Amino acid sequence: MKGSLTVLLCFAAGLIGGILYGNCPVWVGESSVWLLYLLMFLVGIGVGADPRLKEMLRSLRPRDLLYPVATIAGTLALTLIVAPLIPGINIGDSLAINSACGYYSLSSIVIPQMKSAEIGAAAAAELGAVALLANVLRELIALVGAPFIVRRFGPRAEISAAGVTSVDVCLPVIRRWCGDRYVAAAMLHGTLIDLSVPWMLAALTQS
């Protein structure tokens, strides 16, 4: 759990820094994007240099196309069960928030924009904040809880928990705890959900 605790501590340090110092300089946001690019570049080198790359790609099966469907269906089904227990947010908005499957940067912008005319700018901004926190927490659980999730439920469960981030932020964690043979499936999983999220957000936000 040492690596997971490091991730959690880094997140906590960033959270505290944001609270103490308020708005961050523009270069901080830009540097975080470039750090993500660097992370993906290094993961790409690691995967590309692996002599088993062709074997990993050949390991993809048509059934792998069903895993993104299962992730989305499971996310929405659980939302339908839990949403009635949460006061202040209706089921439709809850479905829209969770349909992002970890895509917090998109959901926190699209939902307020599409709901502001219906419920007002202030209420729409609150929904955007909830979407941001809900999807950031999903990503954080996938990062920090990877050892437990893989051990208790298997590698596919970790990929599903990561949602859309199985193709980028959570990919190094998936590679470490699930093994190289799941990297190609994780990338396919994240990419297909990434393509699906804008359509689901648009449909569920307007419903």
Side-chain angles (χ1 to χ4, degrees):
M1 292 295 290
K2 188 181 296 183
S4 298
L5 289 174
T6 301
V7 171
L8 186 59
L9 288 173
C10 288
F11 176 79
L15 188 64
I16 293 170
I19 293 172
L20 293 178
Y21 297 103
N23 294 328
C24 294
V26 175
W27 65 267
V28 173
E30 293 177 349
S31 63
S32 64
V33 174
W34 285 104
L35 284 173
L36 177 59
Y37 292 158
L38 176 62
L39 174 66
M40 296 309 302
F41 177 71
L42 294 175
V43 171
I45 289 178
V47 174
D50 194 320
R52 296 170 295 173
L53 177 59
K54 292 182 179 179
E55 179 184 342
M56 288 161 49
L57 293 176
R58 283 197 298 267
S59 69
L60 288 173
R61 296 291 183 268
R63 68 176 184 178
D64 289 326
L65 296 172
L66 296 177
Y67 287 114
V69 177
T71 296
I72 294 170
T75 298
L76 297 181
L78 184 60
T79 301
L80 286 173
I81 296 172
V82 176
L85 306 176
I86 303 175
I89 301 179
N90 62 47
I91 294 178
D93 290 339
S94 297
L95 287 171
I97 288 168
N98 288 318
S99 70
C101 294
Y103 203 158
Y104 55 83
S105 59
L106 181 65
S107 60
S108 61
I109 294 174
V110 170
I111 291 176
Q113 287 179 344
M114 298 188 72
K115 297 291 290 187
S116 59
E118 177 185 344
I119 62 176
E126 289 183 6
L127 274 182
V130 173
L132 175 66
L133 290 174
N135 287 286
V136 165
L137 284 175
R138 177 171 184 158
E139 179 182 302
L140 190 61
I141 289 170
L143 287 170
V144 177
F148 173 79
I149 294 172
V150 173
R151 185 166 58 249
R152 293 285 295 179
F153 304 107
R156 295 286 183 182
E158 169 60 16
I159 294 173
S160 184
V164 73
T165 61
S166 67
V167 74
D168 44 50
V169 177
C170 291
L171 187 59
V173 173
I174 291 171
R175 186 185 184 203
R176 178 180 179 184
W177 294 105
C178 302
D180 289 339
R181 61 191 292 266
Y182 287 97
V183 169
M187 295 180 69
L188 178 64
H189 174 270
T191 300
L192 291 178
I193 294 181
D194 194 350
L195 295 173
S196 303
V197 167
W199 301 96
M200 291 191 295
L201 279 176
L204 293 171
T205 304
Q206 294 176 344
S207 62

